[in-house]
Amino acid sequence: SRLLTVTLSTTTSALMAFTAATSAYAGKALMVAGMTVSSMSDLLMQGILGGRFARDDRVSINWPAEARPYTGANDLTLGQSIAVGLDNLKTGVATALGSGQKVTVVGLSAGALVVDELLRQLATNPAAPDKSKLTFIMVADSSRQQLIDQSKYNSTLDYTYQPAPETKYDVIVVTGEYDGMADFPDRWWNLVAVANAMAGSIFVHVPMMFSNLDTVPARNISTSVNSLGGVTTHYLVPTATLPLVQLFPALAPMAAQLKAQVDSGYTRNDNVQAAQVAPVSAPARIAAETAAESTDVVTGTPASTADQAAPTVQENNSPVSEPAAEDNDAPTADTPTAPAPRKLSRKSAASA
């Protein structure tokens, strides 16, 4: 009798502790990893976006993460992999919603394509969950680029790349600056920008997934509202050093000139560059020269300006990447190219 009482007391305490720990979760976070990573370890999920999901109940959604022929001659195609991942994700979302907690669905790299397909299905489902119950975060999503402005089937990947679906749900889109997988130059004929993006697929694509969004400068954050009331917030995580310079350090003395050339490959920089080269009126020029001369007399030094550096990520040590969109053998403006996917690891800690 006494033994039974002690056992019941211990079991009750354990259940109370488990309940307390579960109730402390901020919500449910379902994550779909990138190419060649069928599932993610909890340690890896905890570090995504600077620990944004550290207090969430984290769940890795299994999917094949294959893209024949890039990942293996006998693997599934990208389209087949996404179909399997979509079924698993729908099951995971249904289960998570049953907990009564707010659910966040996170797609990383090629895994974001699986999440995009879920958004498309929800958009046509009258019984879709209320937007207050679901939020989506797309990290390094290759389909959310200006180059992808129309649907285009890729027979090699067995997948149709298409613009992001319009949805009632709020979506956060996180892109690493110069990431060749998700931030390919709008002006693909700018070969310097293209070469830099290729290097970015190595030095930017994975590390940016661990960036803290709180450190992204306000100028790199934009928000839009679609016709369904869905709010999309886009974060462009800045890259301090050009990937091309990281790949070839000898180019460091030319970094400023190279950056100007690279930035001209992106239409988002047009207004900034126009402002930098805008003609100065005669009165303003005279006033500036007078002020400069006055400063020299008083201080003996010329005035200078410096841009405030934004925190960035520079290392590449984790396992999520994806094949770039392509149209069979010929790259086009709609299909950014990048090196074939490779298996990477965050110091071998994360592939489950």
Side-chain angles (χ1 to χ4, degrees), residues 35 67 70 78 109-110 113 142 145 148 154 156-157 161 180-182 184 198 201 205 321-328 334-341:
M35 192 54 57
Y70 298 105
L78 177 61
S109 191
L113 301 178
S142 62
Q145 306 183 69
I148 310 297
N154 185 297
T156 301
L157 296 173
Y161 269 88
M181 298 288 190
F184 202 81
M198 293 293 192
S201 65
H205 184 66
S321 62
E322 67 172 289
E326 62 174 48
D327 184 10
N328 297 330
D334 293 321
T335 54
T337 60

Side-chain angles (χ1 to χ4, degrees), residues 247-293:
L247 185 62
F248 301 110
L251 296 176
M254 303 171 56
Q257 298 94 314
L258 287 172
K259 179 173 173 58
Q261 179 65 31
V262 167
D263 285 350
S264 69
Y266 296 85
T267 56
R268 64 171 178 253
N269 296 317
D270 289 353
N271 292 336
V272 175
Q273 292 179 335
Q276 291 174 342
V277 300
V280 181
S281 63
R285 185 170 60 251
I286 294 173
E289 291 172 352
T290 302
E293 291 174 358

